[in-house]
Amino acid sequence: MPSTLASIRNLQQQGRLEAAITACQQALMQDDDLAMLALLGTLHCQNGNFDAGRECLQKLQHAPQAFDAETLTDMAGIHILLKEPAPAQQYLDMALAINPDYSLAQSRRGLVLMQTGRYTKAMADLSEGLKHCPESLRPSLHINLARCAMLLADAEIAINHVEQAQKLGGHNKEQWLLVAVDTYIALDRWPDAESAIQQALEAGTDEIQCIKLLALVLAAQDKHDEAEHQLRKALAKHPEDTGLLMQLAALAGVRGHYGEAVHCLRAAIKLEPENPSYWAQLAQQGKRHFDEKHARAAAEKAMALTAGKTGVERAEALVAMASVSCDVDEQQAETYYREALTLVPDYLPACLGIGHLLLQWGRIDEAIAQFETVTARHPIAGYGALINAKRFPDDPEILARIEKMAYIPSLQGPVSSGLLFDLAAAWEHRKDYDKAFHFADEANVASRKYLPYNAERHHKDCIAVRRTFDHAFFAGRKDYGDRSTLPVFVLGMPRSGTTLVEQILGGHPDIFVAGEIGIMSGVIQKLNAWERHVGSGRQYPECINDLSAEQSRRFATLVLDELQTYSADARYIVDKLPHNFEHIGLIRLLFPDAAIIHVLREPRDVAISNYFTDYQAKFGGMGFAYDLADIGGQLRDYQSLMAHWHEVLAKPVLTIRYEDVVADTEAAARKILAYLELEWTAAVLNYQNLERAVKTASIWQVRQPIYKTSTEKWRRYQAFLKPLEAVLNAPAAEPDDVSPQKQPLPAGLFFKGMEYLYANQGRQAAAVFEQVLNDNPGHAAAMHMLGVAMFQQNQAEPALKLIKAAIARHPGHAGWYQNLGLVFDALGMPKEAQNAYEKARKLKTLHNEHDEFWR
């Protein structure tokens, strides 16, 4: 049997898997040999038949006798291919205890260590395996050593191993070429990388694999549009290739194109609906982009697909489930992370996830200990987490290693902006401010190219807000909203100290702090959705004039109901969202008596703090933070808005200076509580020990005692602030008069017309809708309703013209087609009427939920 095993292993090493499987099966028919069964299981898994491989493994695990080193190593091989590294390592440790020089066991343990991120130890095992392994296995070991070296940011060692694999050649040519591309990219040897891709094609490497590599080479040179073009061209030729879709999703992700990334993931899922990894990635995308409902559904699907599994796929599903549970049940999230680690010890996403949970809960020492354990196996990720937790490496060699890794090109581009932000923080801690700003600047430049942020558009939007919410607006709406004082809004520029004030408030027993819930943004989304629904062509803030007093109270009730889900018995519930400074007019419309606390900080300190913060949100409201001039523009808009609110609001906004909070926390806290008409309690000064999660960029600061080094920090970087100063000191580029250019329509006029329609008062309704159309000729709903009003007055011909024009502008309403059918019937056009009714029937399945709310 030993000679038979050796001949089958030779077939395996040559890649002749079918022949090896047949030989194994024939041998097992003659002798029920456990070593042969273990080899057969490995071969099945190598050939993609994982169920057959697991069946062999289950038979082996029930065998009563002890195994030799070879059998244990093949059992480990089955687990490796099933993506179950923990049991694989156990079997390999047992095999090496029996035979310390068994090269295949050393090589496979190196592979397991590599899979779990322990690259230094992996290289040690792989190197030992290289000393004793057969000639045919040497190229593969060199390839894996090259991969480890790349992951340890040592491209020179990597290229040496690539060259060794190249010299040895053999059937591994495709593999070394693929690793060579990665290595050449790391060394900025772009012609060599493209040459390796060409050689891979000539060697018979799969065309799709080469296209994916070419896209990586292009993206690493910052040619992202060209990379996308190549991938899309290949996808048009191979529309069912999920690998292309996943790389396109990854490329969209680094560019901040969330919708495109999700679209690619869903397309991959449509092709492979049982692939749990795709569902887990979809969940993570949804979580990062605030789509909580779909994120949870995707995570639950990943969990269902991996039920009963014990490998990396299950760990990935558990981490996805943990990420969507963090905001709902933090203890359950921790349980998911820890379960993932029992399956795959040292699984990096779970290790970091637990550390960040501990940090959010204020268990700083435990979080630091967790991140320190990560550094031993994933040094770059571990040190990055420690830097974010304000634990900076003392060894300059560690910083040099992080810097080296930061400049390894990848799909993101020539540099890693996240690592550069880490370096900026570390060098600032070492008080080398020139070097700190250098890394912050490079990080922002690298991030900025993906940003959709438009400073001029933001400026115009802020002017529109001021023009809408003026003295006359509030004077005509004194009966609007709800007089509840339950909501408290803490706002100001990002990095101005809003989190610190929120934490102080959270120390009072009558106050519940809900975090950055962005509840007013939800109101604005509903307003905009309604305007899209009716086809008015307008959006917030201009559309706020359509809101009636009754509807304002209904919106206020929705907000109050949502707030009370956070706490049913609190006197105050705090929504701390800095950018709510843009929505103070809407807040006051819905809640005239609500408390609004504005945190003011030295603008240059705000600017530096934003510029040094990696928000990892290259697609939302923080887009301004990656450019000093844009930060200056945001500050100017914010200052203009706050001055406007102080001028036009009846109930004042309380302004608290961050510097005052730092200088005399108790005095500032007393001022805030007096504004809220609350009794003083010293508990508000113990904010850093609150047992609640903090989930903002200020996560570390609020767990520390007040420190004064954060004030006038800008002076360290004064020499670099010319772009900021130029904007802040520039004369106003807009007229002081921001009043409306024309007299707005009476509040809620459109809905007044609807009331007339429901009362069958067509003439009065028509007069209202004509007034709306005179103000906004493109208002499709007003056009349609004018047609209905004409029909009520038995004027079918003009009604038909108006209703058809409205549908042409906005063709998605079932009810509009229904009305069109009624007009056709009245005009004696039954065929046309039937077509309209059929269209209405089809559209009823798309009935918009907003109809009920606004009715």
Side-chain angles (χ1 to χ4, degrees):
M1 187 63 71
S3 60
T4 305
L5 274 171
S7 64
I8 295 173
R9 289 192 190 281
N10 189 44
L11 291 171
Q12 180 188 33
Q13 291 164 13
Q14 294 173 21
R16 298 169 60 188
L17 297 179
E18 293 288 354
I21 289 170
T22 300
C24 261
Q25 290 171 333
Q26 290 174 349
L28 283 167
M29 290 173 66
Q30 301 173 12
D31 185 0
D32 192 14
D33 182 75
L34 296 180
M36 189 67 71
L37 184 61
L39 178 56
L40 178 61
T42 305
L43 291 166
H44 276 313
C45 288
Q46 285 181 313
N47 207 34
N49 191 347
F50 298 109
D51 289 337
R54 189 176 289 282
E55 185 179 337
C56 292
L57 187 63
Q58 288 169 346
K59 291 178 182 178
L60 286 160
Q61 289 169 337
H62 290 95
Q65 62 265 56
F67 303 114
D68 59 20
E70 286 192 350
T71 304
L72 288 165
T73 300
D74 279 328
M75 291 170 71
I78 298 171
H79 279 295
I80 290 170
L81 293 164
L82 290 172
K83 297 181 180 180
E84 298 172 357
Q89 184 168 348
Q90 290 176 359
Y91 285 128
L92 291 167
D93 288 343
M94 292 164 63
L96 289 168
I98 297 169
N99 183 357
D101 295 326
Y102 186 32
S103 63
L104 184 59
Q106 288 172 327
S107 302
R108 285 186 178 170
R109 191 171 69 176
L111 184 59
V112 169
L113 292 166
M114 180 177 164
Q115 286 178 342
T116 53
R118 291 171 284 182
Y119 305 120
T120 302
K121 289 183 179 179
M123 289 192 76
D125 266 355
L126 293 168
S127 297
E128 283 298 312
L130 191 62
K131 293 177 183 177
H132 308 289
C133 74
E135 189 75 17
S136 60
L137 294 180
R138 289 177 178 272
S140 294
L141 287 173
H142 278 298
I143 288 164
N144 283 329
L145 281 162
R147 287 174 174 148
C148 286
M150 282 293 300
L151 291 162
L152 290 169
D154 201 329
E156 294 295 342
I157 290 178
I159 200 66
N160 288 335
H161 286 292
V162 167
E163 289 169 354
Q164 289 296 317
Q166 182 179 6
K167 289 176 184 177
L168 291 167
H171 70 277
N172 301 89
K173 187 172 184 181
E174 176 181 335
Q175 295 181 40
W176 75 252
L177 283 168
L178 301 184
V179 179
V181 173
D182 288 341
T183 312
Y184 291 137
I185 288 172
L187 296 170
D188 288 343
R189 290 167 57 176
W190 307 112
D192 288 337
E194 294 187 21
S195 174
I197 294 171
Q198 185 60 40
Q199 290 181 58
L201 273 170
E202 293 170 359
T205 304
D206 181 65
E207 177 192 7
I208 293 173
Q209 183 66 29
C210 291
I211 291 295
K212 288 162 66 179
L213 281 169
L214 179 60
L216 175 61
V217 169
L218 292 168
Q221 297 175 77
D222 250 348
K223 299 176 181 177
H224 290 86
D225 288 341
E226 194 173 340
E228 181 182 351
H229 171 70
Q230 292 293 340
L231 289 171
R232 289 196 178 281
K233 187 168 69 171
L235 195 59
K237 188 176 178 182
H238 307 280
E240 297 189 354
D241 189 275
T242 55
L244 287 169
L245 282 166
M246 295 309 291
Q247 188 164 13
L248 198 57
L251 184 66
V254 301
R255 303 175 82 189
H257 299 169
Y258 164 60
E260 183 182 343
V262 168
H263 174 74
C264 292
L265 280 167
R266 291 198 178 280
I269 287 170
K270 188 174 182 180
L271 293 168
E272 296 182 22
E274 303 301 305
N275 188 317
S277 180
Y278 297 166
W279 286 102
Q281 291 181 61
L282 184 64
Q284 297 285 16
Q285 281 281 3
K287 172 64 179 176
R288 279 193 290 269
H289 300 273
F290 317 111
D291 188 353
E292 303 288 345
K293 179 182 176 182
H294 290 102
R296 175 165 288 275
E300 288 172 348
K301 181 68 174 180
M303 290 287 284
L305 289 170
T306 57
K309 295 187 178 181
T310 59
V312 174
E313 284 185 338
R314 180 62 174 179
E316 188 178 18
L318 286 162
V319 167
M321 201 68 210
S323 70
V324 301
S325 300
C326 285
D327 294 334
V328 180
D329 188 340
E330 293 151 352
Q331 298 296 332
Q332 184 61 55
E334 182 182 10
T335 300
Y336 287 132
Y337 282 132
R338 295 203 182 279
E339 187 179 345
L341 289 174
T342 63
L343 299 176
V344 184
D346 307 324
Y347 185 50
L348 180 60
C351 291
L352 294 176
I354 288 175
H356 288 304
L357 273 181
L358 293 168
L359 202 61
Q360 288 174 6
W361 293 335
R363 292 154 62 181
I364 304 295
D365 291 341
E366 292 176 66
I368 297 303
Q370 175 67 23
F371 293 144
E372 284 174 344
T373 62
V374 174
T375 60
R377 298 175 297 279
H378 311 278
I380 301 302
Y383 282 117
L386 284 168
I387 288 170
N388 287 322
K390 306 301 180 186
R391 293 296 190 272
F392 300 96
D394 295 323
D395 187 351
E397 289 187 11
I398 293 172
L399 294 179
R401 191 171 170 185
I402 295 173
E403 182 176 348
K404 191 173 184 180
M405 182 64 82
Y407 287 99
I408 292 180
S410 67
L411 198 63
Q412 182 178 342
V415 299
S416 166
S417 59
L419 291 177
L420 291 172
F421 277 117
D422 290 343
L423 288 165
W427 284 107
E428 181 179 71
H429 175 72
R430 297 173 71 87
K431 299 184 179 179
D432 189 335
Y433 301 123
D434 287 0
K435 187 169 278 191
F437 192 85
H438 163 75
F439 285 120
D441 200 46
E442 292 217 343
N444 282 290
V445 168
S447 299
R448 194 160 59 238
K449 59 180 176 282
Y450 304 121
L451 298 175
Y453 182 74
N454 185 312
E456 183 178 354
R457 184 182 301 121
H458 183 267
H459 179 63
K460 289 180 178 178
D461 289 344
C462 289
I463 290 176
V465 167
R466 287 152 56 197
R467 288 186 172 179
T468 300
F469 294 99
D470 59 3
H471 283 290
F473 178 90
F474 288 108
R477 291 168 173 80
K478 292 181 179 179
D479 59 339
Y480 273 53
D482 190 296
R483 310 307 296 197
S484 172
T485 58
L486 177 70
V488 175
F489 298 90
V490 176
L491 47 81
M493 274 292 290
R495 311 298 294 164
S496 63
T498 53
T499 302
L500 176 57
V501 169
E502 175 200 36
Q503 287 295 99
I504 291 171
L505 288 168
H508 198 285
D510 292 338
I511 300 175
F512 181 87
V513 288
E516 294 187 350
I517 55 177
I519 204 162
M520 301 312 296
S521 298
V523 173
I524 291 170
Q525 288 172 15
K526 284 186 171 65
L527 287 165
N528 284 336
W530 169 251
E531 295 302 321
R532 289 192 298 271
H533 177 66
V534 301
S536 71
R538 297 189 302 176
Q539 60 182 6
Y540 182 85
E542 290 87 349
C543 67
I544 200 69
N545 286 303
D546 276 347
L547 204 66
S548 69
E550 179 187 354
Q551 286 150 359
S552 75
R553 288 188 283 274
R554 294 178 71 183
F555 270 118
T557 299
L558 285 177
V559 171
L560 293 173
D561 288 346
E562 183 174 344
L563 286 175
Q564 286 171 333
T565 64
Y566 290 88
S567 175
D569 54 3
R571 179 174 170 182
Y572 293 114
I573 298 177
V574 178
D575 178 7
K576 191 278 294 185
L577 190 69
H579 265 101
N580 267 338
F581 69 78
E582 297 174 356
H583 310 321
I584 289 176
L586 180 59
I587 291 170
R588 274 284 176 263
L589 182 69
L590 301 186
F591 301 104
D593 296 332
I596 301 175
I597 302 170
H598 164 224
V599 187
L600 177 66
R601 186 182 182 186
E602 212 296 331
R604 288 163 294 190
D605 277 338
V606 168
I608 283 296
S609 187
N610 275 283
Y611 203 59
F612 272 66
T613 298
D614 183 10
Y615 289 105
Q616 299 179 358
K618 305 180 178 72
F619 34 74
M622 299 310 300
F624 72 91
Y626 297 86
D627 182 276
L628 284 173
D630 285 346
I631 295 172
Q634 183 91 181
L635 281 161
R636 287 286 295 268
D637 291 339
Y638 149 77
Q639 291 164 349
S640 296
L641 274 170
M642 291 312 304
H644 177 75
W645 301 131
H646 285 303
E647 180 184 347
V648 301
L649 298 180
K651 179 178 172 66
V653 171
L654 174 66
T655 295
I656 293 289
R657 292 181 69 252
Y658 172 76
E659 291 78 8
D660 293 342
V661 179
V662 171
D664 190 341
T665 307
E666 180 174 337
R670 286 183 179 277
K671 186 176 181 180
I672 294 170
L673 294 185
Y675 174 69
L676 294 173
E677 300 181 356
L678 287 173
E679 293 293 325
W680 167 254
T681 171
V684 298
L685 302 179
N686 195 30
Y687 63 91
Q688 69 266 29
N689 295 320
L690 284 180
E691 294 184 0
R692 63 176 290 269
V694 180
K695 301 169 185 174
T696 75
S698 308
I699 184 172
W700 179 83
Q701 288 92 327
V702 300
R703 298 303 189 189
Q704 312 302 316
I706 291 287
Y707 61 103
K708 298 183 180 181
T709 55
S710 59
T711 60
E712 298 204 341
K713 180 178 175 179
W714 66 271
R715 294 189 184 278
R716 305 168 189 169
Y717 302 101
Q718 190 167 6
F720 304 105
L721 299 184
K722 289 182 181 178
L724 172 74
E725 300 277 9
V727 177
L728 291 179
N729 296 329
E734 58 176 294
D736 292 334
D737 178 16
V738 292
S739 58
Q741 296 179 352
K742 61 181 180 181
Q743 188 68 27
L745 294 177
L749 186 64
F750 177 85
F751 295 99
K752 185 65 177 176
M754 294 298 294
E755 290 175 11
Y756 285 132
L757 272 187
Y758 291 139
N760 288 314
Q761 296 177 323
R763 186 166 55 82
Q764 294 92 328
V768 169
F769 293 128
E770 285 172 352
Q771 192 176 353
V772 173
L773 285 169
N774 285 335
D775 182 76
N776 181 5
H779 199 304
M783 192 178 297
H784 178 85
M785 297 308 170
L786 177 58
V788 175
M790 301 300 287
F791 188 60
Q792 283 189 353
Q793 298 174 71
N794 298 315
Q795 299 181 45
E797 289 286 355
L800 178 65
K801 183 177 179 181
L802 286 162
I803 291 174
K804 288 175 72 174
I807 289 174
R809 286 180 176 273
H810 205 64
H813 288 274
W816 291 13
Y817 281 97
Q818 188 73 23
N819 289 337
L820 180 63
L822 293 172
V823 176
F824 277 134
D825 271 337
L827 290 171
M829 303 168 70
K831 183 178 179 181
E832 290 83 352
Q834 186 58 40
N835 289 338
Y837 292 142
E838 178 62 21
K839 182 70 173 179
R841 186 189 64 78
K842 290 179 179 178
L843 285 172
K844 279 181 181 177
T845 58
L846 303 176
H847 178 67
N848 194 306
E849 63 180 1
H850 298 287
D851 287 346
E852 288 300 320
F853 180 83
W854 288 88
R855 186 163 296 151

